[in-house]
Structure formats: structure tokens, C-alpha cells
Amino acid sequence: FGLGRAGALLSVRAAAAGQTLLVACCLDGTMRPDFPFFSSIAARGGLVADDVRLLPGLAETGACVAAKDVSMAGLLGSLAMLLEYGRLGATVDLDALPRPADVPLPQWVVAFPAFSFLLCAPAGRVEDCRRPFRERGLSCEPVAVLDGSGLVGHPLREPEVRQIRVVGAVRARARGQQHVGRLHVAMDEAAGVRGIQGARHLCEHSG
């Protein structure tokens, strides 16, 4: 936490249907062998502070209007948190997700990256949102368009889409349950992935 002044804020309250969802992250780093934490601290060193400073700049220019960090809930769990306030939804193109070449997709979507953000860009501002990250050697790619469905899904074979209701999943936490694990399992199965140890761990330890 900190105190300061900001000309514009990146709040989940500003997320709205029609905005493009982008994932910005650092792909330089290593995954811990005992826990799904992807650290970029050693790889980026002193660059990290200026990496983070990109966010207020995007807010002030309007290239990004809402955002959330990818936390210990993993990418998909963090996305559910971003969407929950406005009861929004998204069909995520998992193939478009930027990820390290040596980290399998099932592990990446449940990982806690040292630097990764979910960004919401208004119409016509996607490239303005991407450019500052790419200029610094970071990845930033559009992966979905927000909608009003209240569902997170992944396309299988058109027009089939595997979905899970965001609001219901997040509310499960209030009953002492690990909603994140179930969200990841549903999405991983939608992508045709099996045997996800991280997701299984969360489910096995749910209340």
C-alpha cells in the first residue's frame, strides 16, 4: 500500500463489455520447482520499477481503463476477480496467451508471475496499450473481448464453448471454498488438458 496522487485510476469498476482484454507480462525468468511462482526479478533486475510505471502512463492517456494484477489466483482466477464486479464475461483464447517457451500452458494459467497484468483497452486503443510494453521488451497481447455474459469460456470446436459462471465461482469463496481451483479445472478441461497438478491441489484442499 502507498499514498500518492494519480490523475487516473485503473479500477475494475471501469471494466465494460466491448473492451479488449490484454495480458501484459514478463516472460524472462524461471518457475520455482516447488510452487507455481514465476520470478522475473533476477532476469529484469533494475528494469522492473520502470516496467510498473507503464501502468499510470496508460491510465492517463486512456489507452487502458481497467486493470488487475495476476495474483496467486493465477491468470484465470484473477480474470474472474476482474470480471466479478460488473458481472462481465469473456471467451479467452488460451492459444494467444503470452507465456514462456519452457512453461506448459496448464502450469502457466495457474502460476503466480512476478510481473503480469490483465488490461482492459477501449475500442481503438489496443495498439496504444500494447506498444509501451513491447518497447520495453515485455509481452502484451489481446486475448479476449469482454461481454455481459457473466461467463468465462474457452472455444473448443466452433461453435462449442466451454464456460463457467464467474459470479457463482467467486461467491463460492465466501462459503470457505477454493473457487479458483474449480475455475482452473473447468478451463483446463475446456482446452483439452488433463492431469493439472496445481489445479488438482487447489481442489483437493477446498473446503
Side-chain angles (χ1 to χ4, degrees), residues 8-79:
L9 298 177
L10 297 175
S11 169
V12 298
R13 296 183 179 185
Q19 295 169 357
T20 297
L21 176 72
L22 299 96
V23 174
C25 57
C26 178
L27 301 184
D28 298 323
T30 56
M31 185 76 76
R32 282 184 54 144
D34 59 338
F35 183 79
F37 174 68
F38 185 83
S39 177
S40 300
I41 304 302
R44 293 291 289 180
L47 299 174
V48 176
D50 286 334
D51 293 342
V52 175
R53 292 189 181 102
L54 293 176
L55 298 172
L58 292 173
E60 291 171 3
T61 63
C64 179
V65 295
K68 190 195 180 307
D69 66 307
V70 176
S71 63
M72 291 185 68
L75 191 145
L76 298 175
S78 299
L79 175 58

Side-chain angles (χ1 to χ4, degrees), residues 136-189:
R136 289 188 57 79
L138 299 167
S139 297
C140 185
E141 299 296 336
V143 299
V145 175
L146 303 191
D147 58 50
S149 68
L151 302 170
V152 171
H154 175 275
L156 292 169
R157 297 178 301 276
E158 295 296 340
E160 185 181 4
V161 176
R162 179 65 177 266
Q163 298 172 321
I164 185 168
R165 189 168 299 278
V166 172
V167 175
V170 175
R171 282 180 176 171
R173 183 173 55 176
R175 299 193 296 272
Q177 300 173 351
Q178 282 283 7
H179 74 281
V180 174
R182 272 184 286 277
L183 175 61
H184 285 155
V185 166
M187 291 295 290
D188 289 337
E189 289 178 354

